[in-house]
Amino acid sequence: MDWWRRLKKNPLARFGAILLLIFYIAVIAADFIAPYDPYASQPNGSLLPPTKVYWVSQSGQFIGPHVYPTIQGETNLETGDRELIVDFKKPSPLRLFVSGAEYRLLQLSLPLPPKWDEVTIFPGIPLNWHLFGTTNGVKFNVLGTDDQGRDQLSRLLYGGRISMFIGIFGVAISFPLGLLIGGISGYFGGWTDSIIMRLAEVLMTFPSIYLLVTLGAVLPPGLSSTQRFLLIVVITSVIGWAGLARVIRGQVLSIKEREFVQASRAMGGNPLYIIIRHVLPQTATYVIISATLAVPSFIGAEAILSLIGLGIQQPDPSWGNMLSLASNASIMVLQPWLIWPPAVLIILTVLAFNLLGDGLRDALDPRSLRR
């Protein structure tokens, strides 16, 4: 396990892995960590800035962390600023592990064909405990609220489920296809290789943005935004194997001439068995690194698609459609808390995957393994 020791010694790769672990745990346990329902609106609570935490009462007495009920007042038409009405007579203490809205922890539902209706895979664990909150129903909006009065932190946590897992979902579809098709092309050669590679070249010439716009226009109506986006990811992943297949094909052309492959062939091994059992495992180093570096591209694609109206749409949360508010200049100036949290999360996630991928590349470098 020399590569594992080298990976652990790489501080940047370790930072990326720890950051990703924290993000994935947070979005998986979003029901517990998020203080509120991401779809629930607060009365008179639209566009509230992050709630200020107080430690000392209005009389100067230390009473610990607490907040006060806050609602929006009138808007100044000249400056666009909104008045905040804070009721300092009703302090509400902040506590860990408070009871709140009921939920099912770790519930897993997926839209499955042929009708793409959501089917419950795991019913989850019924709970009503949340990581933090107030004890008397006063809202504590860590990152403020959006224009509908919905808690930003809760929407970020729930939206991260789409943004964090969509890359893994896409890689899980496109990479096995690219591996198998590239392996068959390189192993058999001849007319099989020519046909597969010409098809790959045709697929690689399609401009991805035009393909996505076309798919968004031809998908059947009546689908939810999540179902539409998952269908787009499935279709693009199915036709996105071409680049990986070309690289794998080149590696297989060399691997198939090695002694262990020739020995297996001489013993009468089935070609498909030889490809899967002996040839493709030799490409594992490249595949692992490529998969790690490919996930950020799907996360970026989700953000772009949501921005142009083809991805997750309101009221469903995702980092992409939350970031789409950045196209409004007034929001960037007057309500910056709506923009920087999803932007920072996307940047950190992409950076973490790239750092981990670079660390894996260095750790699994064949020259390093030989040394």
Side-chain angles (χ1 to χ4, degrees):
M1 301 290 285
D2 289 340
W3 69 271
W4 177 247
R5 285 193 293 271
R6 281 194 297 274
L7 182 64
K8 290 194 296 183
K9 291 179 181 179
N10 187 326
L12 293 179
R14 191 165 61 245
F15 169 76
I18 293 174
L19 194 60
L20 290 176
L21 180 62
I22 294 173
F23 284 178
Y24 276 106
I25 291 176
V27 300
I28 291 173
D31 305 274
F32 169 67
I33 299 175
Y36 308 111
D37 184 342
Y39 299 97
S41 298
Q42 302 177 18
N44 298 320
S46 64
L47 297 177
L48 290 176
T51 304
K52 185 177 180 179
V53 178
Y54 297 84
W55 295 82
V56 179
S57 68
Q58 298 302 300
S59 61
Q61 181 182 4
F62 178 82
I63 59 175
H66 62 281
V67 296
Y68 295 98
T70 304
I71 60 174
Q72 282 284 8
E74 296 181 355
T75 302
N76 188 319
L77 298 180
E78 295 182 359
T79 63
D81 294 332
R82 290 192 172 193
E83 178 189 4
L84 291 180
I85 302 176
V86 183
D87 187 356
F88 289 107
K89 298 180 181 180
K90 298 179 179 179
S92 179
L94 295 176
R95 295 289 184 267
L96 293 175
F97 306 111
V98 298
S99 61
E102 294 186 357
Y103 59 90
R104 288 188 171 270
L105 184 65
L106 303 179
Q107 180 178 3
L108 178 60
S109 299
L110 293 174
L112 299 177
K115 295 183 179 181
W116 292 94
D117 293 330
E118 286 204 355
V119 176
T120 299
I121 307 299
F122 179 67
I125 306 168
L127 293 172
N128 68 343
W129 288 97
H130 295 265
L131 179 60
F132 64 92
T134 59
T135 56
N136 58 1
V138 174
K139 301 298 184 182
F140 174 43
N141 306 118
V142 180
L143 298 176
T145 63
D146 63 7
D147 58 341
Q148 301 297 319
R150 298 170 298 199
D151 182 64
Q152 277 288 94
L153 176 62
S154 300
R155 291 182 64 79
L156 279 173
L157 289 168
Y158 279 89
R161 291 178 171 178
I162 290 291
S163 301
M164 294 294 293
F165 283 97
I166 205 67
I168 296 177
F169 184 61
V171 167
I173 296 174
S174 61
F175 269 60
L177 280 174
L179 271 171
L180 185 59
I181 294 174
I184 291 174
S185 176
Y187 184 83
F188 288 103
W191 62 269
T192 303
D193 180 35
S194 298
I195 292 176
I196 292 177
M197 286 300 101
R198 299 298 81 74
L199 176 61
E201 290 168 359
V202 170
L203 291 177
M204 292 176 67
T205 60
F206 287 156
S208 58
I209 187 63
Y210 295 113
L211 175 63
L212 294 173
V213 172
T214 303
L215 289 175
V218 301
L219 287 178
L223 296 177
S224 68
S225 60
T226 304
Q227 292 170 341
R228 287 172 59 87
F229 186 69
L230 286 177
L231 276 175
I232 290 175
V233 171
V234 168
I235 295 172
T236 53
S237 299
V238 167
I239 65 176
W241 51 264
L244 178 64
R246 285 179 62 87
V247 177
I248 296 300
R249 175 250 186 189
Q251 295 187 0
V252 170
L253 287 174
S254 173
I255 295 171
K256 73 176 183 179
E257 302 300 330
R258 297 183 182 177
E259 291 80 0
F260 63 90
V261 177
Q262 297 291 343
S264 181
R265 185 184 301 169
M267 294 174 65
N270 182 277
L272 187 59
Y273 172 81
I274 295 174
I275 292 172
I276 296 176
R277 178 65 179 82
H278 298 293
V279 177
L280 292 183
Q282 302 299 314
T283 67
T285 299
Y286 174 80
V287 171
I288 292 173
I289 297 170
S290 297
T292 306
L293 296 175
V295 172
S297 65
F298 284 93
I299 296 175
E302 185 273 325
I304 294 173
L305 289 176
S306 297
L307 182 63
I308 63 177
L310 296 178
I312 306 298
Q313 298 300 303
Q314 298 287 351
D316 297 324
S318 81
W319 293 350
N321 67 17
M322 295 177 73
L323 188 61
S324 65
L325 295 173
S327 58
N328 189 327
S330 64
I331 288 181
M332 295 184 67
V333 175
L334 300 175
Q335 291 92 27
W337 63 86
L338 298 179
I339 304 301
W340 64 261
V344 169
L345 286 176
I346 291 175
I347 292 171
L348 288 178
T349 303
V350 172
L351 177 63
F353 270 110
N354 287 331
L355 291 176
L356 181 58
D358 289 341
L360 285 172
R361 180 190 59 198
D362 296 338
L364 294 172
D365 187 349
R367 291 170 294 182
S368 299
L369 293 177
R370 282 196 292 268
R371 288 196 297 268

